């Protein structure tokens, strides 16, 4: 059977090549799409390590107004006290501009012994962990007791901990040539949100009298429009010269989601459009093919082919062609895990290959099965007549 | 060996109903060489297709070798055709993308328990019987009409069927080639004891057979 299929495919080289190329392209498109979708889904399933709900962001353009540092500090203090006194506000943290879900990143290199590790840094005050509900795995968050020490207290994520210390203890270690002291470790922290990979991360405490442009507020769950208005009112009364933007953190999250999914949806749309075209073309070719081959079907039945054998013949031909298209496709696809491209895990690539292969086989199977059923229904005497 | 009782075939198309066969009663003995004659459209092909189980009669009964063919499932029909019947058609019905030898092998492809090697051997034997050994690797497009029909005969006999059904096997050939084909069929009938039923317009060829059936307007006439 398979040998006779190969003979027919070989004899019909030109048409066969066309199909093989179509299958090859469909495979690569689907593979890319699946790799992206699976990678992001996988990321989404990994916890972020913080809680974005009921958190508001007060974004203050402090340095645009041209006030002195002393004036700015006074305003910050006053704002902090006034916002904290609002009944809906549970806690407040002042932090650097690279807040969760934002597009800004602060990367630096951490030195420890002979290691130089590239990592993200977030600067904040002591309330940061409380506002974002960050859980400590070891040690503690930094607080007032760290004041007066020579080193700046930092909290690192587990990934950075492993990179620097492996299985050894991290708490209390002095790193970066005496600049920092590790006081705590968090399990994970994906600064850029659900759809990002966890980077190396550390949080460092503001030095005394330091402040930055962001307030993160943890509020009561029922804080609504009225709260927002009151917050804006308070802020603009106190900081008349600053431009201040107030938004829930969930908005930043939504934006981050859109940045992730819009390109994928666009690419997915294009893929689906192309593949739909290929499938429709395929269906057309198959329909045409099978219609053209109805006398052949009648003949095969007259020499003793059952309906099952006819299906085998036609579906078999298509599946063989599809498989021939997959071979170069898969050869290309496996280069990605082999070359460790795009920081995507090998399993994701393999899963993407499997999903694409499965879906294309299914589509091809269905689109060759339907016209075969139609053709086989015809009585052989009639089929033989159709020439 | 073949019995037809009150056989009737009506073609139902959108507007008209064509009675292609009505009240056909026929007994065909084993080893008989029978020819069917009659004007165009009188139902000769239809009759042959009923005997060959390529279509279902509207009424009546077809019995072959004591099997009453009624309500058989596709698989059983296919198997029966494969083992008992060989067809030869006016328009040859070769698969153009297959070489002669692969065309001839076709019936054995659908028979269980025959190795590729055995298939090939028997195909070459059948091709030799019809005198086409030098053309085994050709494609149908490279053959003359007479040669194509010989390929079709080789395909019809490779499975050693008891019954060969030939629908105007010489209809597309000149008389010289027609005679060649007729000789092969006669030889099959005499030497291999095959029962042959042949539709023909050619009185000369029909006269060489054991018996002639005349059809007119779907009915048997004498
Ligand atoms: N599939 C079909 N649908 C409708 N009518 C059909 C069909 N096949 C045959 N007929 C009709 O049945 C009648 C008998 O046709 P058949 O093909 O058996 O004639 P025939 O004797 O073989 O003619 P010819 O010598 O031209 O081959 C004709 O009137 C024909 O039009
Ligand atoms: Mg006819």
């Amino acid at each position: 059977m398979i040998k006779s299929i190969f003979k027919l495919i070989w004899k019909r080289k030109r048409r066969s090549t066309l199909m093989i190329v179509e299958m090859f392209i469909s495979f690569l498109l689907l593979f890319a799409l699946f790799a992206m979708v699976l990678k992001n889904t996988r990321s989404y399933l990994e916890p972020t390590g913080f809680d974005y709900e009921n958190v508001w962001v007060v974004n203050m353009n402090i340095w645009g107004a041209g006030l002195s540092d002393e004036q700015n500090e006074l305003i910050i203090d006053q704002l902090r006290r006034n916002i904290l006194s609002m009944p809906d506000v549970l806690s407040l943290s002042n932090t650097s501009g690279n807040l969760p879900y934002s597009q800004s990143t602060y990367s630096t290199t951490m030195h420890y012994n002979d290691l130089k590790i590239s990592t993200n840094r977030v600067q904040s005050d002591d309330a940061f962990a409380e506002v974002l509900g960050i859980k400590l795995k070891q040690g503690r968050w930094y607080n007032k007791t760290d004041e007066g020490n020579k080193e700046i207290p930092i909290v690192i994520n587990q990934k950075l901990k492993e990179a620097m210390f492996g299985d050894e203890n991290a708490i209390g270690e002095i790193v970066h040539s005496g600049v920092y002291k590790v006081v705590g470790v968090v399990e994970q922290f994906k600064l850029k949100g659900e759809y990002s990979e966890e980077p190396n991360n550390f949080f460092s405490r503001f030095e005394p009298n330091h402040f930055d442009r962001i307030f993160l507020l943890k509020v009561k769950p029922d804080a609504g429009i009225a709260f927002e208005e009151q917050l804006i009112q308070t802020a603009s009364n106190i900081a008349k010269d600053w431009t201040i933007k107030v938004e829930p953190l969930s908005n930043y999250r939504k934006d981050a989601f859109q940045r992730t999914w819009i390109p994928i949806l666009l690419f997915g749309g294009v893929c689906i459009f192309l593949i739909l075209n290929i499938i429709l073309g395929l269906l057309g070719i198959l329909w045409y093919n099978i219609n053209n081959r109805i006398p052949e079907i009648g003949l095969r039945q007259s020499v003793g082919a059952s309906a099952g054998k006819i299906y085998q013949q036609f579906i078999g031909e298509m599946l063989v062609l599809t498989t021939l298209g997959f071979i170069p496709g898969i050869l290309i696809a496996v280069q990605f895990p082999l070359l460790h491209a795009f920081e995507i895990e090998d399993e994701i690539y393999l899963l993407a290959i499997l999903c694409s292969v499965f879906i294309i086989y299914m589509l091809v199977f269905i689109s060759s099965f339907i016209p075969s059923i139609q053709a086989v229904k015809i009585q052989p005497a009639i089929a033989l007549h159709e020439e | 060996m073949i019995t037809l009782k009150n056989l009737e075939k009506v073609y139902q198309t959108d507007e008209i109903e064509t009675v292609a066969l009505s009240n056909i009663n026929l007994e065909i003995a084993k080893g008989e060489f029978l020819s069917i004659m009659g004007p165009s459209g009188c139902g000769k092909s239809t009759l042959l297709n009923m005997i060959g189980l390529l279509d279902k009669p509207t009424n009546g009964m077809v019995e072959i070798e004591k099997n009453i063919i009624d309500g058989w499932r596709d698989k059983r029909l296919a198997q029966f055709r494969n083992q008992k019947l060989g067809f030869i058609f006016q328009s040859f019905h070769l698969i153009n993308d297959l070489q002669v030898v692969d065309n001839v092998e076709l019936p054995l492809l659908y028979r269980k328990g025959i190795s590729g090697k055995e298939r090939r051997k028997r195909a070459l034997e059948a091709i030799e019987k019809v005198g086409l050994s030098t053309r085994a690797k050709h494609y149908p497009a490279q053959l003359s009409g007479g040669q194509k029909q010989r390929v079709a005969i080789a395909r019809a006999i490779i499975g050693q069927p008891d019954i060969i059904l030939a629908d105007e096997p010489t209809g597309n050939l000149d008389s010289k080639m027609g005679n060649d084909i007729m000789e092969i069929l006669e030889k099959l009938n005499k030497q291999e004891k095959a029962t042959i039923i042949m539709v023909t317009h050619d009185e000369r060829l029909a006269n060489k057979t054991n018996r002639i059936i005349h059809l007119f307007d779907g009915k048997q006439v004498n």
Side-chain angles (χ1 to χ4, degrees):
Chain A
M1 194 81 188
I2 206 91
K3 202 169 141 197
S4 84
I5 285 178
F6 270 108
K7 273 185 189 165
L8 280 177
I9 288 176
W10 180 247
K11 189 73 207 315
R12 295 164 181 164
K13 281 189 275 302
R14 199 170 343 145
R15 205 167 56 208
S16 303
T17 313
L18 185 72
M19 296 242 193
I20 291 171
V21 170
E22 287 188 341
M23 292 303 138
F24 170 73
I25 294 169
S26 306
F27 170 79
L28 285 185
L29 286 173
L30 266 187
F31 167 71
L33 185 62
F34 270 114
M36 284 197 276
V37 170
L38 288 171
K39 170 192 182 284
N40 282 297
T41 311
R42 164 88 168 248
S43 298
Y44 184 81
L45 295 176
E46 301 279 334
T48 53
F50 62 87
D51 183 8
Y52 70 92
E53 278 170 306
N54 305 316
V55 175
W56 282 73
V57 180
V58 181
N59 196 335
M60 305 165 282
N61 185 2
I62 301 176
W63 291 280
L67 304 180
S68 71
D69 279 356
E70 288 74 24
Q71 285 170 308
N72 283 334
E73 196 179 346
L74 275 175
I75 298 172
I76 282 278
D77 281 342
Q78 209 183 339
L79 266 179
R80 187 197 307 266
R81 266 182 279 113
N82 277 280
I83 292 174
L84 265 174
S85 70
M86 290 169 68
D88 280 330
V89 176
L90 300 173
S91 51
L92 176 152
S93 171
N94 183 224
T95 148
S96 49
N98 51 343
L99 71 161
Y101 300 115
S102 79
Q103 282 176 282
S104 58
T105 313
Y106 185 96
S107 339
T108 178
T109 307
M110 175 78 89
H111 297 251
Y112 177 61
N113 295 340
D114 293 335
L115 296 172
K116 287 192 175 79
I117 297 165
S118 116
T119 170
N120 281 349
R121 186 182 75 173
V122 175
Q123 285 181 288
S124 76
D125 62 17
D126 300 341
F128 190 76
E130 190 189 339
V131 170
L132 287 176
I134 298 171
K135 304 240 163 17
L136 272 289
K137 185 181 156 90
Q138 284 164 26
R140 57 174 175 80
W141 199 262
Y142 36 78
N143 57 36
K144 278 232 169 337
T145 63
D146 295 306
E147 257 166 44
N149 291 338
K150 188 159 66 51
E151 305 89 9
I152 299 169
I154 63 170
V155 171
I156 62 180
N157 69 341
Q158 177 68 14
K159 191 169 173 192
L160 180 58
K161 187 242 161 196
E162 275 164 23
M164 286 203 295
F165 303 103
D167 292 336
E168 310 281 309
N169 168 57
I171 306 297
E173 294 296 316
I174 312 283
V175 298
H176 207 62
S177 321
V179 175
Y180 299 126
K181 179 178 177 184
V182 180
V183 299
V185 177
V186 295
E187 182 69 69
Q188 67 271 108
F189 192 81
K190 296 201 294 187
L191 183 68
K192 299 285 171 214
E194 281 80 351
Y195 292 112
S196 62
E197 292 291 312
E198 171 145 11
N200 293 326
N201 254 323
F202 75 96
F203 309 88
S204 67
R205 187 176 197 263
F206 281 138
E207 290 177 70
N209 305 328
H210 264 65
F211 53 90
D212 211 332
R213 57 182 302 160
I214 302 290
F215 278 151
L216 292 177
L217 321 178
K218 181 79 179 182
V219 301
K220 289 185 182 154
D222 52 6
I225 299 280
F227 163 73
E228 183 177 359
E229 278 168 4
Q230 197 194 347
L231 181 60
I232 292 168
Q233 197 64 48
T234 309
S236 50
N237 280 346
I238 296 168
K240 291 187 189 65
D241 300 315
W242 299 352
T243 336
I244 295 182
K245 225 171 77 197
V246 169
E247 254 185 299
L249 187 56
S250 58
N251 280 10
Y252 286 77
R253 180 172 184 262
K254 214 188 303 163
D255 289 349
F257 277 24
Q258 282 175 0
R259 280 196 299 276
T260 304
W261 281 108
I262 284 175
I264 293 181
L265 286 177
L266 286 179
F267 178 66
V270 171
C271 276
I272 287 166
F273 176 75
L274 287 175
I275 287 168
L276 212 67
N277 264 304
I278 289 177
I279 292 295
L280 285 179
L282 192 73
L283 213 62
I285 293 175
L286 280 168
W287 226 286
Y288 174 80
N289 248 349
I290 289 185
N291 268 323
N292 261 327
R293 289 170 74 183
I294 280 181
E296 179 189 330
I297 293 174
L299 184 268
R300 285 180 188 271
Q301 288 179 305
S302 79
V303 300
S306 58
K309 290 282 179 190
I310 302 282
Y311 297 145
Q312 263 181 41
Q313 174 82 35
F314 284 87
I315 296 166
E317 275 179 42
M318 280 315 299
L319 292 185
V320 168
L321 285 174
T322 310
T323 309
L324 291 177
F326 283 160
I327 292 171
I330 290 176
L331 283 180
I332 290 176
V334 295
Q335 301 308 310
F336 289 88
L338 291 179
L339 300 173
H340 298 291
F342 302 120
E343 297 191 342
I344 299 180
E345 293 97 327
D346 295 357
E347 303 96 75
I348 298 275
Y349 281 126
L350 292 181
L351 199 61
I353 291 177
L354 288 181
C355 290
S356 321
V357 165
F358 178 76
I359 288 198
I360 294 177
Y361 270 139
M362 284 308 295
L363 289 174
V364 167
F365 180 82
I366 293 167
S367 45
S368 46
F369 195 46
I370 296 169
S372 322
I373 291 179
Q374 306 279 14
V376 165
K377 269 194 201 144
I378 304 171
Q379 287 289 334
I382 316 275
L384 281 163
H385 230 269
E386 288 192 15
E387 236 177 355
Chain B
M1 119 166 288
I2 300 172
T3 309
L4 307 179
K5 265 191 204 145
N6 299 325
L7 200 68
E8 185 185 65
K9 178 68 183 180
V10 180
Y11 287 111
Q12 193 78 50
T13 45
D14 291 341
E15 277 150 34
I16 46 162
E17 203 173 71
T18 314
V19 181
L21 290 176
S22 76
N23 198 27
I24 303 287
N25 288 285
L26 195 61
E27 290 265 350
I28 302 165
K30 194 171 169 57
E32 196 171 2
F33 193 161
L34 181 90
S35 45
I36 301 172
M37 296 194 73
S40 183
C42 71
K44 303 180 297 293
S45 297
T46 306
L47 178 58
L48 209 65
N49 290 337
M50 296 298 132
I51 300 173
L53 314 180
L54 295 181
D55 203 348
K56 291 191 181 80
T58 313
N59 275 307
M61 189 199 75
V62 179
E63 185 187 317
I64 302 174
E65 290 188 340
K66 305 213 163 58
N67 296 288
I68 296 172
I69 320 293
D70 187 27
W72 284 20
R73 297 174 68 93
D74 164 74
K75 216 169 172 175
R76 187 165 176 207
L77 272 177
Q79 211 167 26
F80 195 84
R81 281 188 211 120
N82 182 266
Q83 287 171 355
K84 303 286 184 194
L85 307 173
F87 292 92
I88 303 163
F89 306 95
Q90 180 175 4
S91 53
F92 323 125
H93 281 303
L94 302 178
I95 298 177
N96 286 326
D97 290 334
L98 291 179
Q99 290 174 349
V100 164
V101 60
D102 291 314
N103 265 292
V104 173
E105 272 185 22
L106 215 54
L108 297 188
L109 203 64
Y110 299 117
R111 194 174 287 188
K112 282 204 187 80
I114 297 184
S115 69
K117 224 166 134 189
E118 171 76 10
R119 272 208 304 271
R120 180 58 42 130
K121 190 177 134 256
R122 285 172 62 174
L124 293 174
E125 280 168 14
I127 291 169
E128 195 177 347
K129 270 189 200 156
V130 297
L132 270 186
S133 293
T134 54
R135 310 278 171 173
K137 292 280 175 189
H138 283 54
Y139 284 94
Q142 300 166 312
L143 302 178
S144 73
Q147 289 167 334
K148 284 184 194 171
Q149 197 57 299
R150 282 192 268 170
V151 176
I153 294 177
R155 182 181 63 198
I157 63 175
I158 188 173
Q160 295 171 324
D162 300 333
I163 302 161
I164 290 173
L165 302 163
D167 193 350
E168 300 190 47
T170 63
N172 273 339
L173 308 175
D174 67 24
S175 61
K176 161 80 180 60
M177 281 199 210
N179 284 336
D180 290 353
I181 297 299
M182 190 61 192
E183 260 173 47
I184 297 173
L185 291 177
E186 282 180 299
K187 218 163 108 185
L188 280 172
N189 176 244
K190 295 225 172 63
Q191 294 180 359
E192 324 242 334
K193 308 280 180 266
T195 307
I196 302 181
I197 304 166
M198 176 177 76
V199 170
T200 182
H201 282 289
D202 190 333
E203 196 105 25
R204 219 169 31 86
L205 297 183
N207 283 330
K208 293 184 180 178
T209 64
N210 304 142
R211 180 155 63 121
I212 305 176
I213 302 281
H214 290 276
L215 285 187
F216 189 80
D217 232 2
K219 294 187 187 70
Q220 215 172 321
V221 289
N222 292 318

